[in-house]
Amino acid sequence: MSQSTYSVIFRGDLEPGYTAADVKANMARLFKAGPETVEKLFNGRPLAIKKGLSLAQAEQLQATLARQGALSSVKNEAAPEAETVTAPRSPEEVPVAPAPAVQSTPAVTQAEGALSLAPMEGNLLKDHERSKVEPVQVPVSHLSLKPAVGNLVEASEQQAPPPIQVRVPDWKLGSHITGKASFKLPD
């Protein structure tokens, strides 16, 4: 019985945290290729980077591409289109040794005339398409800092509270000499 062979597929997708320029430079160093050749890898169409590999070799190449910032998948050449293994998402998940089991996820089939997403390669607008925005200069010379001790609002900035009206009854106290006092409460 012959052993299954695998292909490493790359569409131009990037690992999170990498820019397209960095990944292109890493791929050029890895494959010892010129910028024109590497640019062809980032067209969004699936491209077999290497075919006829054992599962261990395919996963090792996939891990190497992931370290360079390229998101790739492993496809069993003998199996139908549905069997692929996607690249690990975080550096902790990158396998050091080949995994014994094959993870399979169903591939998304694209209907004729359907829309697809292009790989993220930076800004959608070119520099000349962006509107120029002049920086706004806000005057701050009238602002000052005060230590956060006591009341931060100065007395001259505070409004004086209105005086409180208090009704005081007329006690009509008598002379202090007689010692008699009389008072009348208002009705």
Coordinates of all heavy atoms in Angstrom, one line a residue, residues 113-173:
G113 N -19.2 33.0 -10.6 CA -19.7 34.4 -10.5 C -19.8 34.9 -9.1 O -20.2 36.0 -8.8
A114 N -19.4 34.1 -8.1 CA -19.5 34.5 -6.7 C -18.4 35.4 -6.3 O -17.3 35.4 -7.0 CB -19.6 33.3 -5.7
L115 N -18.6 36.2 -5.3 CA -17.5 37.1 -4.8 C -16.6 36.4 -3.9 O -16.9 35.5 -3.2 CB -18.2 38.3 -4.1 CG -19.1 39.2 -5.0 CD1 -19.7 40.2 -4.1 CD2 -18.4 39.8 -6.1
S116 N -15.3 36.9 -3.9 CA -14.4 36.3 -2.9 C -13.6 37.5 -2.4 O -13.6 38.6 -2.9 CB -13.4 35.3 -3.6 OG -12.6 36.0 -4.6
L117 N -12.9 37.3 -1.3 CA -12.1 38.3 -0.6 C -10.7 38.2 -1.0 O -10.1 37.1 -1.1 CB -12.2 38.2 0.9 CG -13.6 38.4 1.5 CD1 -13.5 38.2 3.0 CD2 -14.0 39.8 1.3
A118 N -10.1 39.3 -1.3 CA -8.7 39.4 -1.6 C -7.9 39.4 -0.4 O -8.4 39.9 0.7 CB -8.4 40.6 -2.5
P119 N -6.6 39.0 -0.4 CA -5.8 39.0 0.9 C -5.6 40.5 1.3 O -5.5 41.4 0.4 CB -4.5 38.3 0.5 CG -4.5 38.4 -1.0 CD -5.9 38.4 -1.5
M120 N -5.5 40.7 2.6 CA -5.3 42.0 3.1 C -3.8 42.4 2.8 O -2.9 41.8 3.2 CB -5.5 42.1 4.6 CG -5.5 43.5 5.2 SD -5.6 43.5 6.9 CE -3.9 43.6 7.3
E121 N -3.6 43.5 2.1 CA -2.3 44.0 1.8 C -2.1 45.4 2.2 O -1.3 46.1 1.5 CB -2.0 43.8 0.3 CG -2.0 42.3 -0.1 CD -1.5 42.1 -1.5 OE1 -0.9 43.1 -2.1 OE2 -1.7 41.1 -2.0
G122 N -2.8 45.9 3.2 CA -2.6 47.3 3.6 C -3.8 48.1 3.3 O -4.9 47.7 3.5
N123 N -3.6 49.4 3.0 CA -4.7 50.3 2.8 C -5.4 50.1 1.5 O -4.9 49.7 0.5 CB -4.2 51.8 2.8 CG -3.5 52.1 4.2 OD1 -4.0 51.7 5.2 ND2 -2.4 52.8 4.1
L124 N -6.7 50.3 1.5 CA -7.5 50.2 0.3 C -7.4 51.4 -0.6 O -7.5 51.2 -1.8 CB -9.0 50.1 0.7 CG -9.4 48.8 1.5 CD1 -10.9 48.8 1.9 CD2 -9.1 47.6 0.7
L125 N -7.1 52.5 -0.1 CA -6.9 53.7 -0.9 C -5.4 54.0 -1.1 O -4.6 53.8 -0.2 CB -7.5 54.9 -0.3 CG -9.1 54.9 -0.1 CD1 -9.5 56.2 0.7 CD2 -9.8 54.9 -1.4
K126 N -5.1 54.4 -2.3 CA -3.7 54.8 -2.6 C -3.5 56.2 -2.0 O -4.4 56.9 -1.8 CB -3.5 54.7 -4.1 CG -3.6 53.3 -4.7 CD -3.3 53.4 -6.2 CE -3.2 52.0 -6.7 NZ -4.4 51.2 -6.7
D127 N -2.2 56.6 -1.9 CA -1.9 57.9 -1.3 C -2.6 59.0 -2.1 O -3.0 60.0 -1.4 CB -0.4 58.1 -1.2 CG 0.2 57.2 -0.2 OD1 -0.5 56.8 0.8 OD2 1.4 56.8 -0.3
H128 N -2.6 59.0 -3.4 CA -3.1 60.1 -4.1 C -4.7 60.1 -4.1 O -5.3 61.1 -4.4 CB -2.6 60.1 -5.6 CG -3.2 58.9 -6.4 ND1 -2.7 57.7 -6.4 CD2 -4.3 58.9 -7.2 CE1 -3.4 56.9 -7.1 NE2 -4.4 57.6 -7.7
E129 N -5.3 59.0 -3.6 CA -6.8 59.0 -3.6 C -7.3 59.5 -2.2 O -8.5 59.8 -2.1 CB -7.3 57.5 -3.7 CG -7.0 57.0 -5.1 CD -7.3 55.5 -5.2 OE1 -7.3 54.8 -4.2 OE2 -7.7 55.1 -6.3
R130 N -6.4 59.6 -1.3 CA -6.8 60.1 0.1 C -7.0 61.6 0.1 O -6.2 62.3 -0.6 CB -5.8 59.7 1.1 CG -5.7 58.2 1.3 CD -4.9 57.9 2.5 NE -4.7 56.4 2.6 CZ -3.6 55.8 2.7 NH1 -2.5 56.5 2.9 NH2 -3.5 54.5 2.7
S131 N -8.0 62.1 0.8 CA -8.1 63.5 1.0 C -7.1 64.1 2.0 O -6.8 63.4 3.0 CB -9.5 63.9 1.4 OG -9.8 63.3 2.7
K132 N -6.6 65.2 1.6 CA -5.5 65.8 2.5 C -6.2 66.5 3.6 O -7.1 67.4 3.4 CB -4.7 66.8 1.7 CG -4.0 66.2 0.5 CD -3.0 65.1 0.9 CE -2.3 64.6 -0.3 NZ -2.0 63.2 -0.3
V133 N -5.8 66.3 4.8 CA -6.4 66.9 6.0 C -5.3 67.7 6.7 O -4.3 67.1 7.1 CB -7.0 65.8 7.0 CG1 -7.5 66.5 8.2 CG2 -8.0 65.0 6.3
E134 N -5.6 69.0 6.9 CA -4.6 69.8 7.5 C -4.7 69.7 9.0 O -5.8 69.6 9.6 CB -4.9 71.3 7.2 CG -4.6 71.6 5.7 CD -3.1 71.5 5.3 OE1 -2.3 71.8 6.1 OE2 -2.9 71.0 4.2
P135 N -3.6 69.6 9.7 CA -3.7 69.4 11.2 C -4.3 70.7 11.8 O -4.0 71.8 11.4 CB -2.3 69.2 11.6 CG -1.4 69.7 10.5 CD -2.3 69.6 9.3
V136 N -5.1 70.5 12.8 CA -5.7 71.7 13.5 C -4.9 72.0 14.7 O -4.5 71.2 15.5 CB -7.2 71.3 14.0 CG1 -7.8 72.4 14.8 CG2 -8.0 70.9 12.8
Q137 N -4.6 73.3 14.8 CA -3.8 73.9 16.0 C -4.8 74.4 17.0 O -5.5 75.4 16.7 CB -2.9 74.9 15.6 CG -1.8 74.4 14.6 CD -0.9 73.4 15.3 OE1 -0.6 73.5 16.5 NE2 -0.4 72.5 14.5
V138 N -4.9 73.8 18.2 CA -5.8 74.3 19.2 C -5.0 75.1 20.2 O -4.0 74.6 20.7 CB -6.5 73.0 19.9 CG1 -7.4 73.5 21.0 CG2 -7.2 72.2 18.9
P139 N -5.5 76.4 20.4 CA -4.7 77.2 21.4 C -4.9 76.7 22.8 O -6.1 76.5 23.2 CB -5.3 78.6 21.2 CG -6.7 78.4 20.6 CD -6.6 77.1 19.8
V140 N -3.9 76.5 23.5 CA -3.9 76.0 24.9 C -3.1 76.9 25.8 O -2.9 76.6 27.0 CB -3.4 74.6 25.0 CG1 -4.3 73.6 24.3 CG2 -2.0 74.5 24.5
S141 N -2.8 78.1 25.4 CA -2.0 79.0 26.2 C -2.8 79.5 27.4 O -2.2 79.9 28.4 CB -1.5 80.2 25.4 OG -2.6 80.9 24.9
H142 N -4.1 79.5 27.4 CA -4.9 80.0 28.5 C -5.1 78.9 29.5 O -5.7 79.2 30.6 CB -6.3 80.5 28.0 CG -7.1 79.4 27.4 ND1 -6.9 78.9 26.1 CD2 -8.1 78.7 27.9 CE1 -7.7 78.0 25.8 NE2 -8.5 77.8 26.9
L143 N -4.7 77.7 29.3 CA -4.8 76.6 30.2 C -3.6 76.5 31.1 O -2.5 76.8 30.7 CB -5.0 75.3 29.5 CG -6.2 75.2 28.6 CD1 -6.2 73.9 27.8 CD2 -7.5 75.4 29.3
S144 N -3.9 76.1 32.4 CA -2.8 76.0 33.3 C -3.0 74.8 34.2 O -4.2 74.3 34.3 CB -2.6 77.2 34.2 OG -3.7 77.4 35.0
L145 N -2.0 74.3 34.9 CA -2.2 73.2 35.8 C -2.1 73.7 37.2 O -1.3 74.6 37.5 CB -1.1 72.1 35.5 CG -1.1 71.4 34.2 CD1 0.1 70.5 34.0 CD2 -2.4 70.7 34.0
K146 N -2.9 73.1 38.1 CA -2.9 73.4 39.5 C -2.8 72.2 40.3 O -3.3 71.1 39.9 CB -4.2 74.2 39.8 CG -4.3 74.7 41.2 CD -5.6 75.5 41.3 CE -5.6 76.2 42.7 NZ -6.8 77.0 42.9
P147 N -2.0 72.2 41.4 CA -1.9 71.0 42.2 C -3.3 70.6 42.7 O -4.1 71.4 43.0 CB -0.9 71.4 43.3 CG -0.8 72.8 43.3 CD -1.3 73.3 42.0
A148 N -3.5 69.3 42.8 CA -4.7 68.7 43.3 C -4.8 68.7 44.8 O -4.9 67.7 45.4 CB -4.9 67.3 42.7
V149 N -4.8 69.9 45.4 CA -4.9 70.0 46.8 C -6.0 71.0 47.1 O -6.1 72.1 46.5 CB -3.6 70.6 47.4 CG1 -3.6 70.8 48.9 CG2 -2.4 69.7 47.1
G150 N -6.9 70.6 48.0 CA -8.0 71.5 48.4 C -9.0 71.7 47.3 O -9.2 70.8 46.5
N151 N -9.6 72.9 47.2 CA -10.6 73.2 46.2 C -9.9 73.7 44.9 O -9.1 74.6 44.9 CB -11.5 74.3 46.8 CG -12.8 74.4 46.0 OD1 -12.9 73.8 44.9 ND2 -13.7 75.3 46.4
L152 N -10.2 73.0 43.8 CA -9.5 73.4 42.6 C -10.1 74.6 41.9 O -9.5 75.3 41.1 CB -9.6 72.2 41.6 CG -8.9 70.9 42.0 CD1 -9.1 69.8 41.0 CD2 -7.4 71.2 42.1
V153 N -11.3 75.0 42.3 CA -11.9 76.2 41.8 C -11.6 77.4 42.7 O -11.8 77.3 43.9 CB -13.5 76.0 41.7 CG1 -14.1 77.3 41.2 CG2 -13.8 74.8 40.9
E154 N -11.0 78.4 42.2 CA -10.6 79.6 43.0 C -11.9 80.3 43.5 O -12.9 80.2 42.9 CB -9.8 80.5 42.1 CG -8.4 79.9 41.8 CD -7.6 80.8 40.9 OE1 -7.9 82.0 40.8 OE2 -6.6 80.3 40.4
A155 N -11.7 81.1 44.6 CA -12.8 81.8 45.2 C -13.4 82.8 44.3 O -14.6 83.0 44.2 CB -12.3 82.5 46.5
S156 N -12.6 83.4 43.4 CA -13.1 84.4 42.4 C -14.0 83.8 41.4 O -14.8 84.4 40.7 CB -12.0 85.2 41.8 OG -11.1 84.3 41.1
E157 N -13.8 82.5 41.1 CA -14.5 81.8 40.1 C -15.8 81.2 40.6 O -16.7 80.8 39.9 CB -13.7 80.6 39.5 CG -12.5 81.1 38.8 CD -11.6 79.9 38.4 OE1 -11.6 78.9 39.0 OE2 -10.8 80.1 37.5
Q158 N -16.0 81.2 42.0 CA -17.2 80.6 42.6 C -18.3 81.6 42.7 O -18.0 82.8 42.9 CB -16.9 80.0 44.0 CG -16.0 78.8 44.0 CD -15.7 78.3 45.4 OE1 -16.0 79.0 46.3 NE2 -15.2 77.2 45.5
Q159 N -19.5 81.2 42.5 CA -20.7 82.1 42.7 C -21.0 82.1 44.2 O -21.1 81.1 44.8 CB -21.9 81.6 41.9 CG -21.7 81.8 40.4 CD -22.9 81.3 39.6 OE1 -23.9 80.8 40.2 NE2 -22.9 81.6 38.3
A160 N -21.3 83.3 44.7 CA -21.7 83.4 46.1 C -23.1 82.9 46.2 O -24.0 83.2 45.4 CB -21.6 84.9 46.5
P161 N -23.4 82.1 47.2 CA -24.7 81.6 47.4 C -25.7 82.7 47.8 O -25.2 83.7 48.5 CB -24.6 80.6 48.5 CG -23.3 80.9 49.2 CD -22.5 81.6 48.3
P162 N -26.9 82.7 47.4 CA -27.8 83.8 47.8 C -28.0 83.8 49.4 O -28.0 82.7 50.0 CB -29.1 83.4 47.1 CG -29.0 82.0 46.8 CD -27.6 81.7 46.7
P163 N -28.2 85.0 50.0 CA -28.4 85.0 51.4 C -29.7 84.3 51.8 O -30.7 84.3 51.1 CB -28.5 86.5 51.7 CG -28.8 87.2 50.5 CD -28.3 86.3 49.4
I164 N -29.7 83.6 53.0 CA -30.8 82.9 53.5 C -31.7 83.8 54.3 O -31.2 84.5 55.2 CB -30.3 81.7 54.3 CG1 -29.4 80.8 53.5 CG2 -31.5 81.0 54.9 CD1 -28.8 79.7 54.3
Q165 N -33.0 83.8 53.9 CA -33.9 84.7 54.6 C -34.4 83.9 55.9 O -35.0 82.8 55.7 CB -35.1 85.0 53.7 CG -34.7 85.8 52.5 CD -34.3 87.2 52.9 OE1 -34.7 87.8 53.9 NE2 -33.3 87.7 52.1
V166 N -34.2 84.5 57.1 CA -34.7 83.9 58.3 C -35.7 84.8 59.0 O -35.3 86.0 59.2 CB -33.5 83.6 59.2 CG1 -33.9 83.0 60.5 CG2 -32.5 82.7 58.5
R167 N -36.8 84.3 59.3 CA -37.8 85.1 60.1 C -37.5 85.0 61.5 O -37.5 83.8 62.1 CB -39.2 84.7 59.7 CG -39.6 85.1 58.3 CD -41.0 84.9 58.1 NE -41.8 85.4 59.2 CZ -43.1 85.2 59.3 NH1 -43.8 84.5 58.5 NH2 -43.8 85.8 60.3
V168 N -37.3 86.1 62.2 CA -37.0 86.1 63.6 C -38.2 86.7 64.3 O -38.6 87.9 64.0 CB -35.7 86.8 64.0 CG1 -35.5 86.8 65.5 CG2 -34.6 86.2 63.2
P169 N -38.8 86.1 65.3 CA -39.9 86.7 66.0 C -39.5 87.9 66.9 O -38.3 87.9 67.3 CB -40.5 85.6 66.8 CG -39.4 84.6 67.0 CD -38.5 84.7 65.8
D170 N -40.3 88.8 67.1 CA -40.0 90.0 67.9 C -40.3 89.6 69.3 O -41.5 89.5 69.7 CB -40.9 91.2 67.5 CG -40.5 92.4 68.3 OD1 -39.4 92.4 68.9 OD2 -41.3 93.4 68.3
W171 N -39.3 89.4 70.1 CA -39.5 88.9 71.5 C -39.9 90.0 72.5 O -40.4 89.7 73.5 CB -38.3 88.1 71.9 CG -38.0 86.9 71.1 CD1 -37.2 86.7 70.1 CD2 -38.5 85.6 71.4 NE1 -37.2 85.5 69.6 CE2 -38.0 84.7 70.4 CE3 -39.4 85.1 72.4 CZ2 -38.4 83.4 70.4 CZ3 -39.7 83.8 72.3 CH2 -39.2 82.9 71.3
K172 N -39.7 91.1 72.2 CA -40.0 92.3 73.0 C -39.6 92.0 74.5 O -40.5 91.9 75.4 CB -41.5 92.7 72.9 CG -41.9 93.2 71.6 CD -43.3 93.7 71.6 CE -43.7 94.1 70.2 NZ -45.0 94.5 70.1
L173 N -38.4 91.9 74.6 CA -37.9 91.6 75.9 C -37.9 92.8 76.8 O -37.6 93.9 76.3 CB -36.5 91.0 75.9 CG -36.3 89.7 75.1 CD1 -34.9 89.3 75.0 CD2 -37.1 88.6 75.9

